[in-house]
């Protein structure tokens, strides 16, 4: 029982972070048809700025239990990068071959790695006094950090809000319409460039908030961006490129699989995940929730 | 097998006398122009340091130490009056690293190359060094099997101590501090260093504590940042002690996530190389009572070694952190090179050839940040390893160790001419014979 609960809690926690980043990736791909590798760097930037904000917050007497405020603030503030990257770089490659888009976003990864190194150095960093302040929940012999549960809840809330935004609001309809047929949307008098900026900014914020929320549980290290890109790639392939439901299910599957494999046979962790990726690519190339290819 | 701090300071003190003699010998050039027989142009030293990814922490630290060393040497007149000029290249993948090594050698025409941490890169560069007849003094990059298989004979390459020594020291510390443990579990990285450390640790601990049993270690890929599932898996094994050879940010993350799951409330721990990121091991999540290894340099090992005190002050002013082991390796190789050149000049009155420097390096002893250390006749480094038990009783927000145990590599590294396995078997035989008597 304890083992099962441990595997579940670890897997779902990991999945919740993966979902935040992958949903940003999916949103951008769904609308702009760009596979944004820089999502991993946005995640890393969120983590590093989150540490700075939390340290300032707690350093000025802010209670660690309210650390969500500076963390979210850091994540949202970094959304300002969205318009800069979209208008400054991405818009030039929308109609180019996919390999150009991948090269461009990968170059953003490398540049942002240097930016991180310049401002925060190479030493591992983590915010002080937040993670353990939330305590640990003991259930059925399993020890589950309360902060992890809050991150899972926050991720679920984001999933619900995204669902509401896409299904129930006018902006959501525009996003879906642009994803489906951007020329038709332009013909209706909606500037697709504005939609692209907004969507990319939203995608950026999902990544930066993901990084900011995860950082109290871990430490920011220079390799975290690339590490996440590898997993996010698996999530979107399994779930289906451009699908939010796919991001949710793919993240859950990858998170749980990672957790189970570490508990049973850790050497096979990545192999198992990528066996499923290969299986999906062979049997259902559009992914579990992707549209027909 | 181990010495206490006082013994070591005595050894270091004796070494200081030697250092004084060397300084006096070299003093005639120290503050003047280049003497006769010495070219006027700067000495070019190639430095190959990792600056990104998981190796960035020790890589950048070592690069900083190299720069501080060069500044200090230049301030005191350079090497035989020649200023030192560092040519820095980044250590990346094996192929690129070899290309950069070639560039430093053929294009920049450096006198010596120092650096590298990855054994894979070291294998490739080691062979290139022999082919190009370029002197290469490595910082690390020396796991047992990697070097035995990849470069059994070295002439122009001078290697670090075997990278598994901290695991051997950790096993001795475990036997000493936790003699009653029955079951050990491990969590290590899934590459040569992680696997060799686990194997060495188990083998040595078993010699001194035959009653101990080992669960299969969890091997995770290098760079992993999420350990919740691994921590649960470790707890499920119900060990008395967990051993880990993590040496970078993974130590910090693992200990933090372990604290949230109360892993070390009833389980002991031995982190053979965690001191590599020592000031990120905050008291809030790093418990007291863990065995923690600092590799070849512990910033608090003594107050009586001016070279260390001076370095820590400069390093802290620049980085706002306390130096880690790779600083000592970087400092030592440069210091050794300088001493070897000066030694040659004292005999020939000419700037030495690479081959002469190589001869002078073999068997050399020089002062470094961690005390006296040197090279053996088989081109392998010697140094001391610092290990201890974590304590919160210090003025910092991170843990330190007390008591400090110092292991000279001469007592925990395979002797010249032995393979690791031959040496282990010899050691096991000696322990058996000792038990019989």
């Amino acid at each position: 029982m304890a083992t099962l609960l441990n595997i579940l809690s670890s897997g779902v926690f990991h999945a919740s972070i993966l979902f935040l980043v992958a949903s940003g990736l999916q949103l951008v791909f769904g609308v702009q048809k760009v596979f944004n590798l820089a999502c991993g760097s946005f995640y890393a930037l969120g983590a590093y700025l989150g540490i700075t904000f939390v340290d300032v917050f707690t350093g000025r007497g802010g209670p660690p239990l309210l650390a969500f405020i500076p963390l979210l603030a850091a994540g949202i503030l970094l959304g300002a990068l969205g318009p800069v990257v979209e208008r400054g770089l991405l818009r030039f490659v929308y109609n180019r071959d996919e390999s150009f888009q991948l090269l461009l976003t990968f170059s953003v990864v490398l540049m942002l790695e240097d930016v991180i190194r310049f401002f925060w150095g190479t030493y591992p960093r983590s915010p002080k006094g937040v993670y353990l302040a939330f305590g640990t929940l003991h259930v059925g012999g399993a020890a589950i950090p309360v902060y992890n549960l809050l991150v899972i809840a926050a991720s679920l809330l984001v999933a619900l809000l995204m669902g509401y935004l896409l299904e129930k609001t006018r902006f959501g309809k525009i996003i879906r319409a642009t994803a489906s047929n951007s020329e038709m949307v332009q013909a209706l008098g909606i500037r697709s460039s504005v939609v692209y900026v907004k969507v990319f900014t939203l995608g950026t914020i999902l990544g930066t908030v993901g990084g900011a929320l995860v950082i109290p549980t871990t430490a920011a290290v220079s390799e975290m961006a690339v590490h996440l890109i590898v997993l996010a790639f698996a999530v979107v392939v399994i779930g289906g490129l451009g699908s939010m439901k796919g991001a949710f299910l793919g993240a859950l599957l990858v998170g749980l699989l990672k957790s189970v494999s570490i508990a049973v046979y850790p050497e096979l962790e990545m192999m198992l995940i990528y066996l499923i990726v290969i299986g999906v690519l062979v049997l259902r190339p559009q992914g579990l929730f992707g549209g027909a290819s | 097998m181990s010495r206490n701090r006082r013994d070591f300071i005595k050894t270091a003190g004796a070494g200081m006398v030697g250092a004084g003699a060397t300084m006096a010998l070299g003093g005639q050039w120290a503050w003047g122009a280049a003497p006769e027989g010495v070219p006027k142009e700067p000495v070019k030293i190639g430095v190959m340091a990792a600056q990104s990814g998981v190796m960035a922490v020790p890589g950048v630290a070592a690069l900083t130490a190299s720069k501080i060393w060069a500044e200090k040497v230049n301030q005191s007149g350079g090497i035989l009056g020649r200023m030192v000029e560092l040519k820095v290249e980044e250590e990346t993948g094996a192929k690129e690293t070899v290309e950069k090594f070639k560039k430093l050698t053929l294009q920049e025409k450096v006198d010596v190359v120092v650096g590298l941490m990855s054994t894979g890169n070291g294998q490739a560069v080691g062979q290139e060094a022999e082919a190009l007849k370029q002197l290469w003094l490595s910082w690390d990059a020396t796991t047992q099997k990697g070097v035995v298989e990849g470069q059994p004979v070295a002439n122009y390459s001078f290697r670090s101590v075997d990278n598994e020594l901290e695991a051997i020291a950790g096993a001795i510390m475990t036997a000493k501090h936790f003699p009653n443990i029955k079951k050990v579990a491990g969590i290590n990285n899934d590459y040569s260093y992680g696997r060799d450390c686990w194997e060495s640790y188990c083998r040595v601990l078993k010699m001194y504590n035959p009653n101990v049993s080992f669960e299969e270690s969890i091997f995770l890929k290098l760079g992993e940042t999420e350990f919740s599932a691994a921590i649960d898996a470790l707890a499920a094994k119900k060990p008395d002690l967990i051993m880990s050879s993590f040496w970078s940010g993974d130590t910090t993350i693992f200990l933090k996530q372990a604290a949230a799951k109360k892993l070390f409330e009833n389980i002991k721990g031995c982190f053979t190389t965690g001191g590599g990121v020592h000031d990120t091991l905050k008291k809030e999540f790093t418990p007291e009572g863990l065995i923690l290894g600092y590799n070849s340099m512990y910033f608090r090992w003594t107050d009586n070694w001016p070279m260390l005190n001076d370095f820590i002050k400069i390093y802290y002013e620049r980085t706002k952190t306390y130096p880690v082991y790779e600083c000592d390796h970087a400092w030592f190789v440069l210091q050794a090179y300088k001493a070897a050149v000066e030694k040659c000049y004292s005999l020939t009155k000419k700037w030495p050839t690479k081959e002469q420097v190589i001869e002078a390096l073999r068997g050399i002893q020089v002062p470094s940040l961690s005390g006296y250390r040197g090279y053996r006749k088989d081109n392998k480094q010697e140094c001391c390893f610092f290990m201890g038990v974590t304590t919160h009783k210090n003025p910092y927000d991170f843990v330190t160790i007390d008591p400090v145990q110092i292991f000279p590599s001469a007592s925990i590294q395979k002797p010249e001419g032995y393979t690791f396995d031959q040496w282990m078997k010899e050691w096991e035989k000696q322990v058996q014979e000792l038990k019989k008597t």
Side-chain angles (χ1 to χ4, degrees):
Chain A
M1 178 64 178
T3 307
L4 186 68
L5 275 172
N6 278 328
I7 288 173
L8 270 177
S9 65
S10 299
V12 173
F13 170 68
H14 196 61
S16 62
I17 297 298
L18 274 177
F19 167 73
L20 286 174
V21 180
S23 61
L25 193 62
Q26 296 286 53
L27 192 67
V28 169
F29 185 83
V31 176
Q32 284 146 287
K33 312 298 177 211
V34 171
F35 190 85
N36 177 27
L37 290 174
C39 66
S41 302
F42 295 150
Y43 168 81
L45 270 175
Y48 277 98
L49 195 67
I51 294 167
T52 303
F53 275 33
V54 166
D55 284 350
V56 170
F57 179 75
T58 52
R60 293 188 176 186
L65 294 177
L66 293 180
F68 272 105
I69 297 168
L71 289 171
L72 287 172
I76 292 166
L77 198 69
L78 280 168
L81 272 177
V84 176
V85 175
E86 199 281 331
R87 285 293 89 189
L89 298 171
L90 277 188
R91 72 188 173 105
F92 298 111
V93 294
Y94 284 140
N95 298 319
R96 304 278 283 275
D97 189 78
E98 283 153 2
S99 56
F100 282 95
Q101 300 170 353
L102 285 173
L103 281 172
L104 182 79
T105 56
F106 189 65
S107 64
V108 174
V109 172
L110 299 177
M111 285 192 291
L112 289 180
E113 197 175 304
D114 277 352
V115 168
I116 287 172
R117 205 157 51 180
F118 180 80
F119 283 107
W120 288 281
T122 51
Y123 223 61
R125 288 171 181 269
S126 61
K128 290 176 196 158
V130 175
Y131 190 36
L132 301 178
F134 285 86
T136 304
L137 190 67
H138 294 274
V139 194
I144 305 168
V146 173
Y147 186 87
N148 290 14
L149 295 174
L150 292 174
V151 171
I152 293 169
S155 188
L156 278 172
L157 185 66
V158 169
L160 289 172
L161 286 173
M162 286 296 293
Y164 179 80
L165 175 83
L166 292 173
E167 300 291 333
K168 304 287 182 191
T169 65
R170 182 174 181 272
F171 181 56
K173 284 177 189 162
I174 293 171
I175 289 177
R176 284 188 287 133
T178 310
S180 176
N181 191 334
S182 63
E183 285 170 3
M184 182 62 77
V185 171
Q186 285 186 70
L188 291 171
I190 294 166
R191 285 173 62 194
S192 60
S193 60
V194 175
V195 178
Y196 284 178
V197 170
K198 286 180 180 174
V199 165
F200 195 78
T201 304
L202 187 56
T204 304
I205 289 174
L206 285 167
T208 52
V209 165
L213 287 182
V214 81
I215 201 58
T217 73
T218 181
V221 286
S222 53
E223 62 273 18
M224 67 191 297
V226 175
H227 184 71
L228 190 89
I229 290 166
V230 173
L231 286 173
F233 174 75
V235 168
V236 296
V237 171
I238 292 170
L241 266 170
S243 160
M244 294 305 279
K245 281 180 192 162
F248 189 82
L249 191 83
L252 198 60
L253 197 64
V254 170
L256 286 173
L257 209 58
K258 190 173 157 70
S259 191
V260 170
S261 60
I262 286 174
V264 180
Y265 204 87
E267 286 88 337
L268 293 183
E269 178 204 340
M270 287 310 274
M271 199 177 101
L272 270 180
I273 292 170
Y274 277 88
L275 271 178
I276 294 188
V277 168
I278 290 168
V280 168
L281 285 173
V282 171
L283 300 172
R284 196 177 157 81
Q286 71 272 33
L288 300 178
F289 284 89
S293 58
Chain B
M1 188 54 63
S2 59
R3 295 183 190 178
N4 62 29
R5 199 185 309 198
R6 184 177 298 230
D7 289 339
F8 186 79
I9 291 169
K10 271 189 207 165
T11 314
M16 278 291 277
V17 178
T22 311
M23 292 281 281
L25 194 65
Q28 57 184 301
W29 313 293
W31 288 276
E36 252 179 66
V38 174
K40 288 194 174 61
E41 60 270 22
V43 183
K44 289 184 189 173
I45 299 179
V47 183
M48 303 196 76
Q51 293 172 59
S52 59
V54 74
M55 293 193 299
V57 175
V60 172
L63 180 58
T64 306
S66 303
K67 287 177 180 171
I68 294 172
W69 180 89
E71 285 166 21
K72 287 185 86 67
V73 167
N74 285 340
Q75 279 163 13
S76 56
I79 303 177
L80 298 176
R82 292 178 73 184
M83 293 295 108
V84 170
E85 196 177 299
L86 300 183
K87 299 281 181 189
V88 180
E89 289 289 344
E90 187 169 355
E91 177 183 2
T92 48
K95 192 173 173 293
E96 286 176 7
T97 302
V98 165
E99 289 306 317
K100 289 168 186 169
F101 183 83
K102 279 186 187 169
K103 180 188 161 195
L104 286 171
T105 304
L106 303 172
Q107 206 173 311
E108 300 285 357
K109 299 196 185 308
V110 298
D111 296 86
V112 57
V113 177
V114 298
L116 298 188
M117 283 179 292
S118 152
T119 300
N121 290 344
Q123 279 185 4
V125 165
Q127 288 169 27
E128 203 60 43
E130 301 302 325
L132 294 174
K133 298 188 188 305
Q134 174 61 290
L135 181 57
W136 165 51
L137 310 179
S138 82
W139 291 337
D140 251 311
T142 314
T143 56
Q144 299 277 348
K145 289 172 190 162
V147 174
V148 170
E149 289 163 11
Q151 198 185 11
V153 181
N155 189 35
Y156 289 84
S157 319
F158 281 71
R159 309 306 295 251
S160 71
V161 284
D162 292 337
N163 289 161
E164 296 79 3
L165 294 200
E166 46 260 48
I168 292 169
I172 296 166
M173 285 289 284
T174 304
K176 180 183 173 184
H177 287 271
F178 306 124
N180 299 320
I181 55 162
K182 296 273 188 287
K183 198 202 285 188
V184 173
I187 179 161
N188 295 281
N189 284 312
D190 196 6
Y191 71 133
S192 64
Y193 176 73
R195 287 190 176 265
D196 287 359
C197 276
W198 173 244
E199 192 186 324
S200 309
Y201 178 86
C202 294
R203 208 157 162 184
V204 175
L205 182 57
K206 192 76 180 171
M207 274 192 249
Y208 292 97
N209 183 352
N211 298 322
V212 76
S213 66
F214 298 95
E215 291 284 321
E216 202 172 330
S217 171
I218 292 175
F219 288 105
L220 297 175
K221 65 180 176 299
L222 189 64
E224 179 62 69
T225 55
E226 223 302 293
F227 295 102
S228 303
I231 289 164
D232 294 334
L234 282 170
K237 292 173 192 282
K238 299 193 189 315
D240 298 312
L241 181 136
I242 293 167
M243 175 271 182
S244 175
S245 59
F246 287 169
W247 50 272
S248 191
D250 44 11
T251 320
T252 319
I253 299 168
F254 177 77
L255 282 168
K256 193 175 193 182
Q257 293 178 356
K261 287 181 171 270
K262 319 275 184 204
L263 184 69
F264 289 107
E265 273 194 352
N266 300 308
I267 299 174
K268 316 282 184 206
C270 176
F271 288 78
T272 59
T273 328
V277 283
H278 63 112
D279 50 9
T280 67
L281 306 181
K282 307 295 182 194
K283 289 174 182 171
E284 66 178 88
F285 58 80
T286 310
E288 291 189 296
L290 298 178
I291 293 171
L292 182 65
Y294 282 73
N295 196 290
S296 74
M297 182 176 157
Y298 176 46
F299 77 109
R300 274 169 61 106
W301 70 271
T302 180
D303 294 328
N304 296 321
W305 191 242
M307 188 181 274
L308 175 70
N309 298 342
D310 188 32
F311 176 73
I312 287 175
K313 192 165 168 282
I314 299 170
Y315 189 90
Y316 189 81
E317 277 167 8
R318 288 197 189 178
T319 66
K320 301 297 170 218
T321 58
Y322 292 97
V324 296
Y325 63 91
E326 210 70 69
C327 294
D328 181 49
H329 294 320
W331 193 276
F332 162 69
V333 297
L334 291 166
Q335 194 79 354
Y337 175 75
K338 178 174 181 285
V341 168
E342 289 171 351
K343 190 173 157 188
C344 292
Y345 184 84
S346 70
L347 296 170
T348 64
K349 303 297 174 200
K350 282 183 185 166
W351 184 268
T353 62
K354 285 194 174 87
E355 288 70 23
Q356 287 170 330
V357 174
I358 287 168
E359 280 310 309
L361 279 170
R362 290 177 177 150
I364 204 167
Q365 290 284 318
V366 294
S368 186
L369 303 172
S370 62
Y372 254 73
R373 51 183 299 187
Y375 278 116
R376 299 193 320 200
K377 295 285 185 190
D378 62 349
N379 292 17
K380 196 174 271 285
Q381 279 181 19
E382 286 182 307
C383 64
C384 282
F385 280 79
F386 297 84
M387 202 166 264
V389 178
T390 54
T391 177
H392 288 180
K393 294 182 189 73
N394 62 47
Y396 316 107
D397 65 347
F398 55 89
V399 295
T400 50
I401 50 173
D402 190 31
V404 180
Q405 194 92 28
I406 299 169
F407 296 85
S409 60
S411 61
I412 54 170
Q413 180 164 234
K414 66 176 185 278
E416 289 177 48
Y418 276 73
T419 66
F420 183 72
D421 193 55
Q422 285 168 340
W423 174 55
M424 274 285 137
K425 281 180 180 153
E426 199 72 29
W427 190 355
E428 280 158 357
K429 211 166 90 185
Q430 284 173 14
V431 171
Q432 288 301 326
E433 282 168 8
L434 204 65
K435 278 179 184 166
K436 280 180 198 163
T437 56

